[in-house]
Amino acid sequence: MAEAETLDSSPHPPQLSDDNPTGNEDQDMLDADKSAKDSDSDSQSDSDSDSEDDAEQHTQIQALETELLNNPSNYDTHVQYIKALRKQGDIVKLRQAREAMSAIFPLSSEMWQEWTKDEISLSSGLDALPTIEKLFDCGVSDYLSVALWCNYLSFVQEHEQSVRTLSTAGISKARNLFERALVAAGLHVAEGSRIWELYREFEQAIFLTIDETDADSREKQVQRIRNLFHRQLSVPLADLCSTLLTYKAWEAEQGANIDVDSSNLDGLSPQVASSYQKSLDMMNARTHLENQISHKVAPESERLQHFMDYLKFEQSLGDPARIQILFERAITEFPISSELWLDYTHYMDKTLKTSSLVRDIYKRASRNCPWVGELWVRYLLSLERGRASEDELSAVFEKSLQCTFSSFEEYLDIFLTRVDGLRRRLSLLTSGAESSNLDYIIIRETFQRASDYLSPHLKNTESFLRMYRYWARLESTLGNDLVAARGVWERLLKISGSVLEVWQGYIAMESEMGNINDARSLFKRCYSKRFPGTGSEDICNSWIRFEREYGALDDFDLAIKKVTPRLEELQLFKLQEAKNVSVSVDDGDNSSRKNVREKRKPVSNLIEEQSPAKRHKDKAKNVKITSEDGEGHAKEPVKVNNKKPDVAASKPLSGSKKENKDVASGKPQQYNDQCTAFVSNLNLKATHDDLRRFFSDVGGVVAIRILTDKFTGKSRGLAYVDFSDDKHLAAAVAKNKQTLLGKRVSIAKSDPKGRKKGNAAPGMSLRQGDNADQTTESSKSDAKNSAEGSEDGFQPSSHHRASNIQLKGKNTFAMPRAVRPLGWVDKDKPKPKESDSVEDENPKSNDEFRKMFIKS
């Protein structure tokens, strides 16, 4: 019965139709069931696909969370994480992710618009208004965005009840917000008119609510709207002509007799017409500049240069408000351009200095470009000019030390800027001009932190010495602690005791304070030390000069007694060093002259000039090489030539392979020594990493060698950079005269002196990779003077084995001799004729020699 009741009560009982004339209900039910199953199958497929997507999104979100946990300063990961959470719809995590990113980075205008839109759609009631308004305030303070300002103004008018009902408090709040928007973006040439129009519409809405009987109020409101038109017409904006037509139409509504269809100035007051014409001329002068910066398809470097040109134009006219808004427009387009931020802050420092606006700009600059140390230095100085609290100064200082800069000199500059500020404030405290809880111990702790952090990287540098000198002076003057000042110098001596300037600074402090005995003790400690260059002589002469000016006669005599032997020792050392240098130079000149003469003499001539006896003697100098197992095997004769090798033979041949360490992996890597670039005019602070980054766009860097002074260890401004092939080398040479660390470096292909082509003797060929072990054992002892000892040996063109190397020359002391026992006779050799040379006679026995002497 229940089933029957269900069927009867069905709102659509089975009926006949044109499609089912037979009324076959069973077939219809089967078809419906099949359709339902198909629908369920499709639904199941869609559900499986959705579950797979959800699992993939969940995996992606977990990976992004792990990445942010390990590296919370990764901007791109923050952006991807927020997009993934927004797609997933996790509101709580999305809000937390946005707040976390906003605490580290400034957000783009688009991200702020998405955030405020999401919060508006999710929030309801009056309690959410302050939170959303705070979001808008944060958004418009990050970057200039007319669109975000318009959304802010529209939100307040729609959701703020007092503004929506046009109460006195609401009208006041809205007008204040509109004026803020005009100050921030009203001068925006391309988009500023949008804010002006919203402001006028709001005032016209107020006019419509005023009772017609209240003539005074209506007249005041009309005048307020008219003033808004006049203000807008005096500003050079993109749609200035359309604004003029709108104004004339509005004046006609108010009863003015004016031509609303033409853009002429007839019927306008002289003041309005003059202001409009002036702003129109200003707009025409900027039209081409606006067109240049509006080309979004142009390369970024080109667009940035267009902004720079535009800024120079505005600065030449000298309108601070217009210059500032153009800087804001440029920074919105190029938020991480350190050049823009440096120019912007420098201009604002000159214009406003102590304004809170300048401090806000520095705060934004440090958030956008935290890696620029100069911005942090200026930020601290700006806070000091604005008389910021010690807590605020300390917070900014600590935040700057958490950033990563390109050089340690930037860290030192920040430390010293902090110390400078503390010193100035403490000086005011001691003079009674200011009261605070500052203490000198803060300065001491700052110096100690700087020393601990920077000493491994900046020791033996002038800047590091200057910091210690500053520290010692403050200890003695501001801290009134001479023992602490001496402790500073002693600490520096442990770090850089081999630097002459450290001792000189320490002695100068004691001398200036009148501590003559302490200064004399320092001279006694350091006069015998070895300093680079003429430092040892300088310190000895300084001691004599010191005793002449400050000491008694006994002290002067003692200094002479101590210093004289030391100066004589140094003089002898210099003479010996000069003599060694002279000898090495003379040897080099003689060998080069000899090589030149021998190179000019053909090999054939050398052979022809030898006497027949000499040639016969050379033929007899065959070597029998014994293998490792003791068996003697006759080898091809090795003709030894002890002539000095050519200069090219003593150096790596062009095209030869060397082994070096790979820059990245540290593994041995083969490279061609022709693919070396010589870099000069380097900044003395340049490191291997700086050069590697400089050539990163070229690629192929194999090794980097920076030349340093052998005494001081400082860079000489020269470097060799090895590349893997000629293609990378050519690309590196193309970067010639580009700027690295503020200096235009010179880059050229390295061509070491002495590397020449064609230095091999006639009939000789060059081979790569032949090692010294291919020569005979007898010739290895003369490897320094023979070509077999070189990395690349000379070989006769008629032979192909290193054992056939032939050397010719007059010095044959290393020639392997075929020594025979006295009285040995070769029975197979015919007896020599009497006309033959004495050198060709057979060796005689002892008896024969005895008989010869008896006969004589």
Side-chain angles (χ1 to χ4, degrees), residues 423-560:
R423 176 188 59 79
R424 286 186 285 263
R425 300 186 73 172
L426 279 175
S427 299
L428 292 175
L429 287 176
T430 55
S431 63
E434 188 175 311
S435 60
S436 177
N437 57 352
L438 285 177
D439 191 77
Y440 178 76
I441 193 173
I442 302 177
I443 294 180
R444 181 177 296 156
E445 290 174 351
T446 305
F447 273 122
Q448 288 174 348
R449 289 179 63 187
S451 176
D452 295 340
Y453 182 68
L454 299 175
S455 58
H457 313 285
L458 296 180
K459 64 178 181 179
N460 299 341
T461 61
E462 176 62 28
S463 57
F464 195 65
L465 170 61
R466 190 166 55 249
M467 184 195 77
Y468 263 87
R469 186 186 294 117
Y470 186 20
W471 183 5
R473 183 171 62 83
L474 291 185
E475 288 285 359
S476 61
T477 57
L478 203 58
N480 296 320
D481 192 342
L482 180 58
V483 175
R486 288 172 176 163
V488 170
W489 283 112
E490 293 293 340
R491 178 174 179 169
L492 182 58
L493 286 176
K494 293 179 181 179
I495 300 173
S496 304
S498 61
V499 179
L500 174 64
E501 289 77 4
V502 176
W503 291 96
Q504 290 176 334
Y506 195 177
I507 292 170
M509 185 197 76
E510 296 288 3
S511 302
E512 291 171 0
M513 300 183 67
N515 302 322
I516 305 303
N517 291 332
D518 296 295
R520 183 177 294 113
S521 299
L522 290 173
F523 274 117
K524 292 178 181 179
R525 288 171 59 186
C526 70
Y527 83 96
S528 60
K529 288 184 176 293
R530 180 75 181 274
F531 297 107
T534 61
S536 300
E537 292 90 335
D538 292 342
I539 198 66
C540 292
N541 294 327
S542 297
W543 189 8
I544 296 174
R545 194 162 49 248
F546 170 81
E547 295 297 355
R548 179 182 293 118
E549 296 175 1
Y550 296 100
L553 183 58
D554 293 340
D555 298 323
F556 181 76
D557 292 339
L558 179 62
I560 293 293

Side-chain angles (χ1 to χ4, degrees), residues 790-808:
S790 65
E791 186 180 52
D792 308 276
F794 287 88
Q795 296 184 351
S797 59
S798 61
H799 297 284
H800 303 283
R801 300 294 296 174
S803 59
N804 296 333
I805 295 176
Q806 181 180 11
L807 301 179
K808 299 179 181 296

Side-chain angles (χ1 to χ4, degrees), residues 377-407:
V377 169
R378 293 186 183 181
Y379 191 6
L380 290 170
L381 293 174
S382 177
L383 291 174
E384 187 180 357
R385 291 190 192 99
R387 298 187 177 277
S389 65
E390 173 60 24
D391 293 339
E392 186 176 0
L393 282 164
S394 178
V396 172
F397 171 66
E398 294 296 336
K399 193 172 183 180
S400 68
L401 296 181
Q402 299 173 6
C403 301
T404 302
F405 303 124
S406 59
S407 68

Side-chain angles (χ1 to χ4, degrees), residues 761-792:
M764 311 291 278
S765 63
L766 303 180
R767 284 192 55 177
Q768 299 178 7
D770 290 312
N771 297 322
D773 60 331
Q774 294 172 320
T775 63
T776 64
E777 291 295 324
S778 59
S779 63
K780 285 183 180 179
S781 62
D782 196 29
K784 295 182 180 179
N785 298 317
S786 63
E788 284 87 354
S790 65
E791 186 180 52
D792 308 276

Side-chain angles (χ1 to χ4, degrees), residues 673-674 676-678 720 729 748-752 755:
D673 65 351
Q674 282 186 333
T676 300
F678 177 67
Y720 288 99
L729 175 62
K749 182 177 179 181
S750 176
D751 186 16
R755 176 185 292 168

Side-chain angles (χ1 to χ4, degrees), residues 34 96 115 219 335 343 499 757:
K34 181 179 180 181
Q96 293 174 351
W115 191 355
E219 183 60 29
D343 289 346
V499 179
K757 297 181 180 179

